[in-house]
Amino acid sequence: QVQLVESGGGLVQAGGSLRLSCAASGRTFSQYVMGWFRQAPGKEREFVVTVNRSGGRTYYADSVKGRFTISRDNSKNTVYLQMNTLQPEDTAVYYCAASRVDTGSYNIAPSQYAYWGQGTQVTVSS
C-alpha cells in the first residue's frame, strides 16, 4: 500500500494560483495511476484530473481544462496540481488518490482508487 499526504492548499482571491503537492510513501510509486478529486460542501466527490504511471498521458475534467495542470516526478514520489485562474467555484477539499487499476481507459471514478490522502482545503474568494 501507499500513504499519501497533500499540501499547498490555502486561501486565494479569484484569478490567483495555487500549487498542490501530494507526497507518496513506498517504493512502487511509479506503478500507480494518480488522480486528483475535490469535494465542495453539499456536493459529491468530483473527478478533477488523472495522470498515467509515466506522466505522459493526462485527462482533465471539462471544468478545469485549460486552467489546471497535473504533473508527477517519480524520482521524488510526488504528484502536483498547478491551479491557475482560480474561481470561487473551485473552492473545495482537494484529495490526492492512487490507483492500480488498468483497463485501458482513464481512471475517473473514485471507486477505482484504493488509496487516498486526507485532503487539503482550497478556498477561493471573490
Side-chain angles (χ1 to χ4, degrees), residues 16-111:
S17 299
L18 282 175
R19 189 193 193 199
L20 306 184
S21 297
C22 175
S25 66
R27 52 188 176 182
T28 58
F29 177 72
S30 64
Q31 297 180 9
Y32 292 93
V33 170
M34 300 298 297
W36 287 95
F37 293 77
R38 66 187 183 184
Q39 188 165 21
K43 294 187 176 182
E44 296 183 348
R45 190 161 298 186
E46 175 190 21
F47 168 77
V48 177
V49 63
T50 185
V51 62
N52 74 334
R53 294 170 176 86
S54 68
R57 291 187 294 172
T58 58
Y59 182 76
Y60 295 85
D62 288 342
S63 59
V64 305
K65 191 176 301 182
R67 299 187 299 118
F68 291 11
T69 303
I70 192 171
S71 61
R72 68 189 296 165
D73 187 339
N74 288 344
S75 69
K76 297 181 178 179
N77 277 22
T78 303
V79 63
Y80 306 94
L81 182 64
Q82 179 66 47
M83 306 186 295
N84 298 327
T85 320
L86 284 162
Q87 305 170 195
E89 293 75 25
D90 296 315
T91 295
V93 176
Y94 283 71
Y95 296 92
C96 175
S99 173
R100 302 190 77 166
V101 175
D102 188 2
T103 62
S105 185
Y106 295 107
N107 297 352
I108 64 173
S111 62

